[in-house]
Amino acid sequence: MTTTAGAVALAVTLVTGCTSDSDGPNAPTSSPSRHRDPAGTSDRDDHKLGAQVQQTLGTTQINNSDGLFVEAGLEHVGDGFHSRPDLEQGHSYQLTVTCEGKGHVRISVALKKPLHRTLACDGAVWRELLTAPGGAIKIDGEGMKGATGMVGWRLDRANKADE
């Protein structure tokens, strides 16, 4: 493994983890890496794009004592992401998603009234205020055909009054 590849693996590992219901509400979640698109971005590009996504989301240094932070993750666009945060009923949450690279990702949030959004992988940021129905919700992101790069998400309580 080259130094650059090791740095990319470390950066992605630090922000993402395997989805697990037993890790609690503050554990980062993501889908495990399934495959890499050989025509996609290089490890060096992924590292750069991942750093841009983390900077945009403010997840380069997450402080676990932040009472508003719920979870965050970073994935290759081709792998997509699948998160199942357990949210408290009636509380408000801010979901922020951004993508750096090429193409588009399709974002879905399973709520009483499901949300669907197509987001360009050009550094655009999508923010959505969610009111939790209670229990786990599904947040999914899938790269559309030909999309490459890195996609990240962050979920926070909308305000301290919800704590």
Side-chain angles (χ1 to χ4, degrees):
M1 179 181 282
T2 67
T3 304
T4 303
V8 169
L10 179 60
V12 172
T13 301
L14 289 174
V15 176
T16 63
C18 294
T19 300
S20 172
D21 292 338
S22 63
D23 290 337
N26 292 331
T29 60
S30 70
S31 61
S33 181
R34 292 187 303 259
H35 67 282
R36 292 292 312 272
D37 178 3
T41 57
S42 70
D43 284 342
R44 184 183 340 253
D45 291 340
D46 285 349
H47 179 70
K48 180 181 174 187
L49 296 174
Q52 289 172 309
V53 167
Q54 289 176 310
Q55 183 176 2
T56 299
L57 294 174
T59 57
T60 52
Q61 293 185 2
I62 298 173
N63 182 347
N64 285 335
S65 66
D66 179 353
L68 299 180
F69 175 74
V70 177
E71 71 171 26
L74 176 69
E75 289 287 346
H76 292 101
V77 170
D79 292 341
F81 70 87
H82 311 284
S83 179
R84 305 295 180 263
D86 191 17
L87 306 180
E88 295 181 49
Q89 183 174 3
H91 291 260
S92 297
Y93 296 85
Q94 178 75 43
L95 174 64
T96 306
V97 180
T98 189
C99 184
E100 291 279 355
K102 296 178 183 172
H104 295 82
V105 292
R106 178 85 170 142
I107 310 298
S108 300
V109 183
L111 297 168
K112 188 173 185 177
K113 182 178 178 182
L115 299 171
H116 302 283
R117 177 75 53 168
T118 300
L119 183 66
C121 290
D122 61 0
V125 176
W126 177 54
R127 288 185 179 88
E128 188 71 34
L129 188 62
L130 311 173
T131 300
I137 65 168
K138 294 179 183 180
I139 303 172
D140 296 307
E142 297 291 335
M144 297 177 79
K145 186 175 181 176
T148 61
M150 302 296 286
V151 60
W153 75 98
R154 179 176 180 146
L155 185 66
D156 295 282
R157 284 184 178 265
N159 60 53
K160 288 188 183 263
D162 280 344
E163 290 184 3

